Amino acid sequence: MRRKEIDWIRNICILMLFIYHTSAIFTDFGDFYIKTEKSNIFSNIFILLTFSWYMPLLFFLAGASTYFALKRRSEFEYIKERTKKLLLPFIFGIIVIVPPQTYLARLWRGESNINYFSHMKMFFTNVSDFMGFDGGFTPAHLWFILFLFVISLIGISIIKCFKLIGGKKVMNKIKNVILSKYGLFIVIALTFIAEMVPGVGGKGLILNLLMFLFGYITYSDIDYINAIFKYRRTFAISNGIIIILGLGYFLSLRNMEIGILKNIAENGIKCSMIITAIITIVGYGIKYMNKENKLLRYLNKASFPVYIMHQTILLTLAFFILPLMFPQWFSIIIINLLSVLITFGLYEIIKRTRYIGILLGMK
């Protein structure tokens, strides 16, 4: 039986993206399609506390879901479903959903004498850093869908290899290591190594593949679930300590020139944060969220198309709201509130159509 906390946590994470991407507009950290000159303390804190573990958690949950999916369908059926659910919406999104975001980015940066059709030509012919803030090609927030499709194909091949070379023996050896007293440090060390591998477009393909496999392995054996549930408080305390250390490092040492030690420190804190945060969230999810109701069933259907559509709607609202010079707190609230209402309203309209819904990954 599929565990319901997987769906609850995933859906909550997708809803949190409204807050996350609104915060990206108002934060000091990194660039975004639309940015304010003055940052907001709430946005800075929210980004600092979530950026490291947010997406790895979604890949972990995808790996967990894969375990249950493979119990109901063959590998071929799984790949076919991933193609329909992920690749088709990604292609549609690149053509329809993403270009407006980069067009808004160009307008926000002062390029007023451009029309949307000339921008489309630039979007599909100008490839630079894959970020798209200059108007060039980017998968934008849909990078997650592309990565998930690729990682699903690679992940299922690795899982198949495990089964071919001894299956239970391999998994038992892995379990003995992970559930040992040094298991947490070994998992963090593996995460650290994966994080050191250069990413694709600034995103860690190997790191997220590892999280996907961790998710699959965790939910394939009840002993892992029991251990995560049993020690959830310990992991929560550990995560709190790491947060304090991370904030201390960020405020006092981040700008110091300490060479390679800086990369080691930052990656060590980040990887420790990823693992302890994921285990803590899953542990408390097991305790409080393994239940189903009408809201969960609704969000299970809505969350994926909402994920695809939300950022374009949010940025469009920000583009028109920010020049009105409202107080920051009001702008943040109104952008979040309106983007949620409009995105879910659009979902309600689209789900009553046939073909557009398929292009957004809806059954």
Side-chain angles (χ1 to χ4, degrees):
M1 182 181 297
R2 181 183 176 92
R3 299 190 62 93
K4 301 303 186 291
E5 74 269 6
I6 297 173
D7 298 322
W8 275 116
I9 297 170
R10 186 190 67 249
N11 291 328
I12 291 170
C13 282
I14 290 176
L15 292 177
M16 284 174 61
L17 282 172
F18 288 97
I19 303 174
Y20 188 93
H21 287 137
T22 301
S23 297
I25 296 172
F26 293 89
T27 187
D28 287 322
F29 312 120
D31 202 356
F32 202 49
Y33 302 93
I34 293 175
K35 291 280 287 189
T36 56
E37 293 183 3
K38 186 178 179 181
S39 65
N40 174 269
I41 187 169
F42 167 81
S43 298
N44 283 338
I45 292 173
F46 187 83
I47 294 292
L48 276 176
L49 292 179
T50 57
F51 83 95
S52 61
W53 54 263
Y54 205 144
M55 300 312 292
L57 173 59
L58 286 174
F59 283 102
F60 177 94
L61 297 172
S65 297
T66 294
Y67 168 73
F68 292 101
L70 292 176
K71 292 177 73 68
R72 301 192 309 269
R73 56 177 67 99
S74 67
E75 293 172 2
F76 175 78
E77 290 171 333
Y78 173 81
I79 294 173
K80 182 180 178 181
E81 185 268 344
R82 294 287 86 183
T83 301
K84 181 180 178 181
K85 177 83 172 181
L86 299 175
L87 188 58
L88 183 60
F90 174 77
I91 295 171
F92 173 75
I94 287 293
I95 297 172
V96 176
I97 304 294
V98 175
Q101 299 181 34
T102 57
Y103 179 64
L104 292 173
R106 294 178 69 187
L107 293 176
W108 189 257
R109 285 158 174 77
E111 295 185 57
S112 57
N113 296 322
I114 54 173
N115 62 64
Y116 189 72
F117 296 104
S118 64
H119 166 72
M120 286 287 285
K121 180 179 179 181
M122 176 185 177
F123 177 80
F124 286 108
T125 57
N126 181 22
V127 178
S128 55
D129 58 1
F130 285 101
M131 301 305 292
F133 303 141
D134 61 353
F137 180 82
T138 176
H141 64 298
L142 301 185
W143 73 267
F144 170 73
I145 298 177
L146 177 61
F147 270 44
L148 184 55
F149 177 72
V150 173
I151 285 172
S152 296
L153 299 185
I154 298 173
I156 197 172
S157 300
I158 294 174
I159 292 165
K160 185 176 181 179
C161 289
F162 280 161
K163 294 178 180 179
L164 290 176
I165 60 178
K168 289 185 177 180
K169 290 183 178 179
V170 174
M171 300 305 272
N172 284 334
K173 288 181 180 180
I174 292 174
K175 183 167 74 171
N176 291 336
V177 172
I178 293 178
L179 294 183
S180 70
K181 61 181 180 179
Y182 303 109
L184 177 63
F185 301 102
I186 293 172
V187 171
I188 292 175
L190 289 172
T191 307
F192 181 88
I193 294 170
E195 173 64 16
M196 296 296 286
V197 178
V200 179
K203 313 297 183 183
L205 180 63
I206 302 301
L207 172 66
N208 290 314
L209 171 61
L210 187 65
M211 294 303 107
F212 180 92
L213 293 173
F214 281 164
Y216 180 91
I217 292 171
T218 298
Y219 275 87
S220 67
D221 194 317
I222 192 63
D223 289 341
Y224 291 121
I225 301 297
N226 290 338
I228 289 174
F229 176 79
K230 180 179 180 180
Y231 296 108
R232 64 189 184 280
R233 294 186 184 89
T234 302
F235 286 115
I237 293 170
S238 300
N239 185 249
I241 293 172
I242 294 166
I243 288 174
I244 294 172
L245 292 174
L247 290 176
Y249 166 82
F250 185 85
L251 295 173
S252 60
L253 300 176
R254 186 170 183 265
N255 294 323
M256 293 181 61
E257 295 296 331
I258 52 179
I260 192 172
L261 292 177
K262 180 178 180 180
N263 288 334
I264 293 175
E266 290 184 355
N267 286 336
I269 293 171
K270 179 180 178 180
C271 294
S272 300
M273 177 79 77
I274 290 172
I275 297 303
T276 56
I278 288 176
I279 296 176
T280 300
I281 292 168
V282 172
Y284 281 94
I286 292 169
K287 181 173 177 60
Y288 296 109
M289 298 181 183
N290 191 24
K291 57 189 72 174
E292 186 176 20
N293 56 31
K294 291 182 179 180
L295 177 60
L296 180 62
R297 290 192 290 270
Y298 176 82
L299 291 175
N300 283 344
K301 296 178 180 179
S303 60
F304 190 72
V306 163
Y307 170 80
I308 294 173
M309 296 186 294
H310 85 281
Q311 186 164 289
T312 300
I313 294 170
L314 187 152
L315 289 172
T316 302
L317 288 167
F319 182 84
F320 290 104
I321 290 173
L322 292 179
L324 300 177
M325 302 301 292
F326 292 127
Q328 274 196 349
W329 65 267
F330 183 77
S331 295
I332 291 171
I333 291 173
I334 200 68
I335 290 171
N336 271 294
L337 181 60
L338 287 179
S339 59
V340 169
L341 292 175
I342 293 173
T343 305
F344 275 91
L346 188 58
Y347 162 73
E348 286 296 323
I349 295 172
I350 291 175
K351 79 176 186 179
R352 289 166 170 79
T353 67
R354 180 177 180 182
Y355 297 108
I356 298 178
I358 292 174
L359 294 173
L360 289 174
M362 299 162 61
K363 293 182 180 180

